[in-house]
Every structure is written in C-alpha cells, then in structure tokens.
Amino acid sequence: MRPGRVFWRLTRAVALLLGLAALVLALGGALAASTVDPAFEPILTRLAADGLPEAKLRRLFSRAEMVFSPKAMADKLSALYMRKYGLRLVADIQTRLIALGWHPGPADGKLDRMTRWSIRAYQASEGLPPLGTATEALLAELDKSPHHAPAGLVFPVFPTAEVHDVVLSAERMAEAREFYERNRAALARTRQNYGVPEEYLVALLAVETRVGRYLGDEVAVVNLASLVAGEDPARLAGSFTYEKPSPDRQAWLNRKALEKGEWAYGELRALLRYADIQGIDALSIPGSIYGAIGICQFMPSNALKYAVDGNGDGKADLFDVEDALASLGNILRAMGWKQPMSDEAMRKVFYGYNHSQVYVNTIMDAARRLRDASASGTTKP
C-alpha cells in the first residue's frame, strides 16, 4: 500500500477517534448538567443571576459530592426551637430520668448541663458510650432498660461560669502548649502587628479546631448549599416528626428557616469567591456544619474581608498556620482589640467572634492556663 494512502487512513482514524472523544465529552457534559441535585438547581440559577459563571457553577454542582442534606438546617432549627420553646424529645427523656432518679428536674425540654450529666450517668451505668445527647434511641433505651439510679446518687453543683470542659482537659491543653511552642515566631509577629497576645490566639484556636488538628468533617460548600435549600419547609419533612409543632410554632420555624437560608446564601456566594481568589477547588474545603472554614474557623464572608497573607507567599490561606494567625489578629483588631485591654473588653471581642458565653469563658480560662504555663517555663508539653 502506498505511504500516502496509509497516512490518509491513519489521519482519518485519528479524526474519527477525536470525533468520538468530542461526542463522549459532549454527552458527558449533558449528563453532568442533568445530575444537579434538584434542591440545588434554584441556587445555581440565583448564583448565575448574581454574576457567577454558570458553566463553572454547573460543573461544580454536578459533581457527585453535591448532594442536599437536611441535617445542617434541621440541627440549627432544633437548637433555636429548644432555646425558645424546649423540645418534646428532651422533655420526655428528662421525665424518664426523673422517674428513675437520674435527674433532679425539671422536665423543661432544655438540654442543659444537668440534663447532659444525667444522660451520661445513665448511659455509663448501662455500658453505653456516655455521649450526653438527646436522641430517640436514648428514649427507647430508657423504656427498654428502666434501671433506677443507685441510692444516694449525688448530683453535681456546677460553677456559675460554664466552660467546654473537654477543651480544658489535660490532653487538649497539651496540644495547645505544643502549638504555642512550635509557632512562637508566628505568634510573636501577630502580637506585634495586631496587638493580640499569644495566649489568647492559641486559646481561641484550641476551642475552634484543636489548634488546627480538627478542621471539620463536613464539606463547607455542600453544607452551605444545603442550608440555602433547607429554607424550603418541604425539604425538612420528617425533621420535626417527633416534635409535632403547633401551627404557630411551625410558622415560626418556617420564618427562621428562611432567615438562616438567606444568611447561608450570602456565605455560599462568599465561599465560592474565596475559593476562586485562592485558586482552590471549592469542594476541597472542609468546614463546620454551618460553613466555617480554616484553622481559625472564619465564615466565608469574613474570609473575604479579613484573611491576610501572613507568610509572604501572596495568598491568604486560612489553612496555613501563619496566614491563619495573621488573619485572626486582623479580625480581632477590627472587632475592637487594642492594648491595654480589660478582661471585660476582651470578653466583648470574643463574644463578637462567637455569640456564646460558654465559648468566651473557655477562651479566657484556656488563655490563663497558657499564660501561667509560659510564665513558669512549662510551655513544652
């Protein structure tokens, strides 16, 4: 066969293969476009209307990981509902525990410190993991194994200032001291540039992420998108089956879901912008159940405003220790940190970072312990 004909046939074969490849890609793109979770389709449309590139959004939302989950919104609404009305499930568990002598009361539907202690005490007596959470499985266990508390059970007297005890445990404080020692130079730079002493920076990170050891086991973009989609009450069907809220309380839940969904939309849009600026895959960013990201757990809108480059590489990567520390110093200064600072002023700044007095109490206690350890020369674990 003549060389020219061979070449022609090879060229034609290559062209056919390329054509098939293009067809496969086109079909794949069409299939991918059809695999957007229906719950996310309105969000994609809204983001595109706000100026984000639709083709890029569609590729992101078509990926297998982008699946709606009602958990984030259900958890948030349950916490709000319990704070306002009390939860029927918690009240029923409290009632069982009171009858069995494990809880001093009242059965108010609030999962407070005493209720958590009572649940753990019962669980430990049954050889169960002492989780201290209120679940339907626990209620079933109480009905199945209605064992009375031992005679003379002594209930604890809790201090007025509640803290996250687990953060102040020996293990967790050792982690914090090791981080302090390992990052002395970066911590000192942050103090010099932003005025926040080392022990407060480390204490906050110890509360938020175990000083970077735990960055969340959720995918931030999926949870934020799910929160947005969860503003539709129909998508939360079953989340309050046990509670059976009255019509007026259901209306309140619906309003709260809409509020939280709108808030989450702003955070989702900010997260996508942050990922684009940093040049990273949005689905590679871990976060909390409510979308906080990085070692210092910034909400994405704060990441856009306050994340700064702490190591001079041109990026503001909240998963890099030096960048995270500088960014933390930056936001705390913006929230009012200045020297000298009274304890009351410090507490106000930390409360602005996370609206929880327990959170603030824990940071202040952890910072005191770190300061005492540093002063005594025992920073190293």
Side-chain angles (χ1 to χ4, degrees), residues 141-165:
E141 185 67 32
L142 282 161
D143 288 337
K144 183 180 74 173
S145 303
H147 296 152
H148 285 262
L153 177 67
V154 177
F155 296 104
V157 177
F158 294 106
T160 303
E162 183 179 0
V163 295
H164 294 302
D165 292 319

PDB file of all heavy atoms in Angstrom, residues 141-165:
ATOM      1  N   GLU A 141     -34.019   3.312  74.743  1.00  0.00           N
ATOM      2  CA  GLU A 141     -33.189   2.570  75.705  1.00  0.00           C
ATOM      3  C   GLU A 141     -33.732   2.757  77.118  1.00  0.00           C
ATOM      4  O   GLU A 141     -33.761   1.807  77.924  1.00  0.00           O
ATOM      5  CB  GLU A 141     -31.746   3.057  75.622  1.00  0.00           C
ATOM      6  CG  GLU A 141     -30.756   2.285  76.485  1.00  0.00           C
ATOM      7  CD  GLU A 141     -30.563   0.846  76.025  1.00  0.00           C
ATOM      8  OE1 GLU A 141     -30.652   0.583  74.816  1.00  0.00           O
ATOM      9  OE2 GLU A 141     -30.315  -0.022  76.897  1.00  0.00           O
ATOM     10  N   LEU A 142     -34.174   3.955  77.453  1.00  0.00           N
ATOM     11  CA  LEU A 142     -34.742   4.212  78.770  1.00  0.00           C
ATOM     12  C   LEU A 142     -36.019   3.400  78.986  1.00  0.00           C
ATOM     13  O   LEU A 142     -36.288   2.922  80.095  1.00  0.00           O
ATOM     14  CB  LEU A 142     -35.043   5.705  78.929  1.00  0.00           C
ATOM     15  CG  LEU A 142     -33.836   6.605  79.221  1.00  0.00           C
ATOM     16  CD1 LEU A 142     -34.154   8.057  78.901  1.00  0.00           C
ATOM     17  CD2 LEU A 142     -33.392   6.457  80.668  1.00  0.00           C
ATOM     18  N   ASP A 143     -36.798   3.246  77.920  1.00  0.00           N
ATOM     19  CA  ASP A 143     -38.016   2.445  78.031  1.00  0.00           C
ATOM     20  C   ASP A 143     -37.699   0.950  78.110  1.00  0.00           C
ATOM     21  O   ASP A 143     -38.361   0.201  78.829  1.00  0.00           O
ATOM     22  CB  ASP A 143     -38.926   2.720  76.832  1.00  0.00           C
ATOM     23  CG  ASP A 143     -39.560   4.096  76.893  1.00  0.00           C
ATOM     24  OD1 ASP A 143     -39.662   4.654  78.003  1.00  0.00           O
ATOM     25  OD2 ASP A 143     -39.943   4.631  75.822  1.00  0.00           O
ATOM     26  N   LYS A 144     -36.660   0.530  77.412  1.00  0.00           N
ATOM     27  CA  LYS A 144     -36.280  -0.878  77.390  1.00  0.00           C
ATOM     28  C   LYS A 144     -35.546  -1.282  78.670  1.00  0.00           C
ATOM     29  O   LYS A 144     -35.729  -2.392  79.178  1.00  0.00           O
ATOM     30  CB  LYS A 144     -35.388  -1.161  76.179  1.00  0.00           C
ATOM     31  CG  LYS A 144     -34.996  -2.622  76.012  1.00  0.00           C
ATOM     32  CD  LYS A 144     -34.113  -2.834  74.787  1.00  0.00           C
ATOM     33  CE  LYS A 144     -32.710  -2.317  75.071  1.00  0.00           C
ATOM     34  NZ  LYS A 144     -31.764  -2.650  73.966  1.00  0.00           N
ATOM     35  N   SER A 145     -34.720  -0.368  79.196  1.00  0.00           N
ATOM     36  CA  SER A 145     -33.914  -0.666  80.384  1.00  0.00           C
ATOM     37  C   SER A 145     -34.150   0.408  81.443  1.00  0.00           C
ATOM     38  O   SER A 145     -33.288   1.265  81.687  1.00  0.00           O
ATOM     39  CB  SER A 145     -32.428  -0.723  80.015  1.00  0.00           C
ATOM     40  OG  SER A 145     -32.184  -1.667  78.997  1.00  0.00           O
ATOM     41  N   PRO A 146     -35.320   0.390  82.087  1.00  0.00           N
ATOM     42  CA  PRO A 146     -35.650   1.426  83.069  1.00  0.00           C
ATOM     43  C   PRO A 146     -34.991   1.169  84.425  1.00  0.00           C
ATOM     44  O   PRO A 146     -35.673   0.937  85.433  1.00  0.00           O
ATOM     45  CB  PRO A 146     -37.181   1.342  83.143  1.00  0.00           C
ATOM     46  CG  PRO A 146     -37.474  -0.099  82.867  1.00  0.00           C
ATOM     47  CD  PRO A 146     -36.438  -0.565  81.890  1.00  0.00           C
ATOM     48  N   HIS A 147     -33.661   1.196  84.427  1.00  0.00           N
ATOM     49  CA  HIS A 147     -32.924   0.908  85.660  1.00  0.00           C
ATOM     50  C   HIS A 147     -32.819   2.162  86.516  1.00  0.00           C
ATOM     51  O   HIS A 147     -32.440   3.238  86.034  1.00  0.00           O
ATOM     52  CB  HIS A 147     -31.531   0.379  85.324  1.00  0.00           C
ATOM     53  CG  HIS A 147     -31.575  -0.929  84.589  1.00  0.00           C
ATOM     54  ND1 HIS A 147     -30.587  -1.337  83.720  1.00  0.00           N
ATOM     55  CD2 HIS A 147     -32.505  -1.925  84.575  1.00  0.00           C
ATOM     56  CE1 HIS A 147     -30.899  -2.523  83.217  1.00  0.00           C
ATOM     57  NE2 HIS A 147     -32.057  -2.892  83.717  1.00  0.00           N
ATOM     58  N   HIS A 148     -33.120   1.994  87.784  1.00  0.00           N
ATOM     59  CA  HIS A 148     -33.089   3.130  88.704  1.00  0.00           C
ATOM     60  C   HIS A 148     -31.656   3.511  89.067  1.00  0.00           C
ATOM     61  O   HIS A 148     -30.755   2.667  89.067  1.00  0.00           O
ATOM     62  CB  HIS A 148     -33.874   2.804  89.973  1.00  0.00           C
ATOM     63  CG  HIS A 148     -35.357   2.845  89.768  1.00  0.00           C
ATOM     64  ND1 HIS A 148     -36.126   3.933  90.093  1.00  0.00           N
ATOM     65  CD2 HIS A 148     -36.205   1.925  89.226  1.00  0.00           C
ATOM     66  CE1 HIS A 148     -37.388   3.691  89.779  1.00  0.00           C
ATOM     67  NE2 HIS A 148     -37.466   2.472  89.261  1.00  0.00           N
ATOM     68  N   ALA A 149     -31.492   4.774  89.379  1.00  0.00           N
ATOM     69  CA  ALA A 149     -30.196   5.259  89.835  1.00  0.00           C
ATOM     70  C   ALA A 149     -29.867   4.644  91.191  1.00  0.00           C
ATOM     71  O   ALA A 149     -30.780   4.298  91.959  1.00  0.00           O
ATOM     72  CB  ALA A 149     -30.230   6.779  89.943  1.00  0.00           C
ATOM     73  N   PRO A 150     -28.594   4.492  91.505  1.00  0.00           N
ATOM     74  CA  PRO A 150     -28.232   3.950  92.817  1.00  0.00           C
ATOM     75  C   PRO A 150     -28.690   4.880  93.934  1.00  0.00           C
ATOM     76  O   PRO A 150     -28.792   6.098  93.765  1.00  0.00           O
ATOM     77  CB  PRO A 150     -26.704   3.867  92.745  1.00  0.00           C
ATOM     78  CG  PRO A 150     -26.304   4.858  91.699  1.00  0.00           C
ATOM     79  CD  PRO A 150     -27.411   4.844  90.695  1.00  0.00           C
ATOM     80  N   ALA A 151     -28.981   4.279  95.072  1.00  0.00           N
ATOM     81  CA  ALA A 151     -29.414   5.078  96.226  1.00  0.00           C
ATOM     82  C   ALA A 151     -28.328   6.075  96.600  1.00  0.00           C
ATOM     83  O   ALA A 151     -27.139   5.762  96.594  1.00  0.00           O
ATOM     84  CB  ALA A 151     -29.712   4.149  97.407  1.00  0.00           C
ATOM     85  N   GLY A 152     -28.748   7.275  96.915  1.00  0.00           N
ATOM     86  CA  GLY A 152     -27.796   8.297  97.350  1.00  0.00           C
ATOM     87  C   GLY A 152     -26.990   8.927  96.242  1.00  0.00           C
ATOM     88  O   GLY A 152     -25.935   9.515  96.506  1.00  0.00           O
ATOM     89  N   LEU A 153     -27.475   8.803  94.991  1.00  0.00           N
ATOM     90  CA  LEU A 153     -26.763   9.440  93.878  1.00  0.00           C
ATOM     91  C   LEU A 153     -26.621  10.938  94.150  1.00  0.00           C
ATOM     92  O   LEU A 153     -27.598  11.622  94.459  1.00  0.00           O
ATOM     93  CB  LEU A 153     -27.537   9.225  92.576  1.00  0.00           C
ATOM     94  CG  LEU A 153     -26.959   9.896  91.318  1.00  0.00           C
ATOM     95  CD1 LEU A 153     -25.620   9.275  90.940  1.00  0.00           C
ATOM     96  CD2 LEU A 153     -27.942   9.799  90.163  1.00  0.00           C
ATOM     97  N   VAL A 154     -25.397  11.427  94.064  1.00  0.00           N
ATOM     98  CA  VAL A 154     -25.121  12.837  94.346  1.00  0.00           C
ATOM     99  C   VAL A 154     -25.046  13.603  93.021  1.00  0.00           C
ATOM    100  O   VAL A 154     -24.236  13.267  92.153  1.00  0.00           O
ATOM    101  CB  VAL A 154     -23.798  12.999  95.123  1.00  0.00           C
ATOM    102  CG1 VAL A 154     -23.489  14.486  95.339  1.00  0.00           C
ATOM    103  CG2 VAL A 154     -23.872  12.262  96.448  1.00  0.00           C
ATOM    104  N   PHE A 155     -25.888  14.596  92.896  1.00  0.00           N
ATOM    105  CA  PHE A 155     -25.869  15.422  91.688  1.00  0.00           C
ATOM    106  C   PHE A 155     -24.819  16.518  91.842  1.00  0.00           C
ATOM    107  O   PHE A 155     -24.652  17.077  92.927  1.00  0.00           O
ATOM    108  CB  PHE A 155     -27.236  16.041  91.434  1.00  0.00           C
ATOM    109  CG  PHE A 155     -28.306  15.030  91.152  1.00  0.00           C
ATOM    110  CD1 PHE A 155     -29.254  14.697  92.106  1.00  0.00           C
ATOM    111  CD2 PHE A 155     -28.342  14.387  89.926  1.00  0.00           C
ATOM    112  CE1 PHE A 155     -30.230  13.760  91.845  1.00  0.00           C
ATOM    113  CE2 PHE A 155     -29.325  13.445  89.645  1.00  0.00           C
ATOM    114  CZ  PHE A 155     -30.263  13.122  90.599  1.00  0.00           C
ATOM    115  N   PRO A 156     -24.115  16.826  90.767  1.00  0.00           N
ATOM    116  CA  PRO A 156     -23.050  17.834  90.862  1.00  0.00           C
ATOM    117  C   PRO A 156     -23.613  19.236  91.033  1.00  0.00           C
ATOM    118  O   PRO A 156     -24.755  19.515  90.656  1.00  0.00           O
ATOM    119  CB  PRO A 156     -22.325  17.703  89.519  1.00  0.00           C
ATOM    120  CG  PRO A 156     -23.365  17.182  88.576  1.00  0.00           C
ATOM    121  CD  PRO A 156     -24.241  16.273  89.403  1.00  0.00           C
ATOM    122  N   VAL A 157     -22.792  20.104  91.599  1.00  0.00           N
ATOM    123  CA  VAL A 157     -23.113  21.528  91.679  1.00  0.00           C
ATOM    124  C   VAL A 157     -22.187  22.218  90.682  1.00  0.00           C
ATOM    125  O   VAL A 157     -20.968  22.253  90.876  1.00  0.00           O
ATOM    126  CB  VAL A 157     -22.896  22.088  93.092  1.00  0.00           C
ATOM    127  CG1 VAL A 157     -23.161  23.592  93.118  1.00  0.00           C
ATOM    128  CG2 VAL A 157     -23.788  21.357  94.096  1.00  0.00           C
ATOM    129  N   PHE A 158     -22.759  22.735  89.622  1.00  0.00           N
ATOM    130  CA  PHE A 158     -21.934  23.314  88.572  1.00  0.00           C
ATOM    131  C   PHE A 158     -21.555  24.747  88.911  1.00  0.00           C
ATOM    132  O   PHE A 158     -22.356  25.491  89.484  1.00  0.00           O
ATOM    133  CB  PHE A 158     -22.687  23.294  87.233  1.00  0.00           C
ATOM    134  CG  PHE A 158     -22.952  21.909  86.718  1.00  0.00           C
ATOM    135  CD1 PHE A 158     -24.219  21.364  86.777  1.00  0.00           C
ATOM    136  CD2 PHE A 158     -21.922  21.164  86.180  1.00  0.00           C
ATOM    137  CE1 PHE A 158     -24.466  20.096  86.287  1.00  0.00           C
ATOM    138  CE2 PHE A 158     -22.151  19.886  85.698  1.00  0.00           C
ATOM    139  CZ  PHE A 158     -23.430  19.341  85.757  1.00  0.00           C
ATOM    140  N   PRO A 159     -20.338  25.146  88.538  1.00  0.00           N
ATOM    141  CA  PRO A 159     -19.959  26.554  88.733  1.00  0.00           C
ATOM    142  C   PRO A 159     -20.808  27.456  87.849  1.00  0.00           C
ATOM    143  O   PRO A 159     -21.349  27.022  86.828  1.00  0.00           O
ATOM    144  CB  PRO A 159     -18.483  26.583  88.300  1.00  0.00           C
ATOM    145  CG  PRO A 159     -18.321  25.405  87.391  1.00  0.00           C
ATOM    146  CD  PRO A 159     -19.262  24.355  87.915  1.00  0.00           C
ATOM    147  N   THR A 160     -20.906  28.702  88.262  1.00  0.00           N
ATOM    148  CA  THR A 160     -21.728  29.648  87.507  1.00  0.00           C
ATOM    149  C   THR A 160     -21.197  29.839  86.093  1.00  0.00           C
ATOM    150  O   THR A 160     -21.955  29.904  85.131  1.00  0.00           O
ATOM    151  CB  THR A 160     -21.766  31.009  88.229  1.00  0.00           C
ATOM    152  OG1 THR A 160     -22.267  30.814  89.552  1.00  0.00           O
ATOM    153  CG2 THR A 160     -22.659  31.991  87.487  1.00  0.00           C
ATOM    154  N   ALA A 161     -19.878  29.951  85.963  1.00  0.00           N
ATOM    155  CA  ALA A 161     -19.264  30.169  84.653  1.00  0.00           C
ATOM    156  C   ALA A 161     -19.067  28.830  83.952  1.00  0.00           C
ATOM    157  O   ALA A 161     -18.108  28.107  84.218  1.00  0.00           O
ATOM    158  CB  ALA A 161     -17.934  30.893  84.815  1.00  0.00           C
ATOM    159  N   GLU A 162     -19.980  28.509  83.063  1.00  0.00           N
ATOM    160  CA  GLU A 162     -19.883  27.245  82.338  1.00  0.00           C
ATOM    161  C   GLU A 162     -18.782  27.329  81.284  1.00  0.00           C
ATOM    162  O   GLU A 162     -18.586  28.361  80.644  1.00  0.00           O
ATOM    163  CB  GLU A 162     -21.218  26.928  81.655  1.00  0.00           C
ATOM    164  CG  GLU A 162     -21.218  25.580  80.938  1.00  0.00           C
ATOM    165  CD  GLU A 162     -22.547  25.261  80.274  1.00  0.00           C
ATOM    166  OE1 GLU A 162     -23.468  26.088  80.383  1.00  0.00           O
ATOM    167  OE2 GLU A 162     -22.650  24.200  79.645  1.00  0.00           O
ATOM    168  N   VAL A 163     -18.044  26.230  81.128  1.00  0.00           N
ATOM    169  CA  VAL A 163     -16.987  26.151  80.119  1.00  0.00           C
ATOM    170  C   VAL A 163     -17.131  24.842  79.353  1.00  0.00           C
ATOM    171  O   VAL A 163     -17.860  23.932  79.760  1.00  0.00           O
ATOM    172  CB  VAL A 163     -15.578  26.206  80.769  1.00  0.00           C
ATOM    173  CG1 VAL A 163     -15.333  27.537  81.445  1.00  0.00           C
ATOM    174  CG2 VAL A 163     -15.387  25.041  81.750  1.00  0.00           C
ATOM    175  N   HIS A 164     -16.419  24.759  78.225  1.00  0.00           N
ATOM    176  CA  HIS A 164     -16.316  23.500  77.496  1.00  0.00           C
ATOM    177  C   HIS A 164     -15.213  22.682  78.156  1.00  0.00           C
ATOM    178  O   HIS A 164     -14.024  22.865  77.875  1.00  0.00           O
ATOM    179  CB  HIS A 164     -16.001  23.758  76.023  1.00  0.00           C
ATOM    180  CG  HIS A 164     -17.087  24.456  75.277  1.00  0.00           C
ATOM    181  ND1 HIS A 164     -18.371  23.947  75.176  1.00  0.00           N
ATOM    182  CD2 HIS A 164     -17.092  25.633  74.585  1.00  0.00           C
ATOM    183  CE1 HIS A 164     -19.112  24.772  74.449  1.00  0.00           C
ATOM    184  NE2 HIS A 164     -18.370  25.797  74.092  1.00  0.00           N
ATOM    185  N   ASP A 165     -15.608  21.796  79.037  1.00  0.00           N
ATOM    186  CA  ASP A 165     -14.626  21.062  79.837  1.00  0.00           C
ATOM    187  C   ASP A 165     -13.627  20.301  78.981  1.00  0.00           C
ATOM    188  O   ASP A 165     -12.450  20.195  79.337  1.00  0.00           O
ATOM    189  CB  ASP A 165     -15.340  20.079  80.775  1.00  0.00           C
ATOM    190  CG  ASP A 165     -16.140  20.789  81.848  1.00  0.00           C
ATOM    191  OD1 ASP A 165     -15.639  21.789  82.393  1.00  0.00           O
ATOM    192  OD2 ASP A 165     -17.273  20.358  82.132  1.00  0.00           O
TER     193      ASP A 165
END
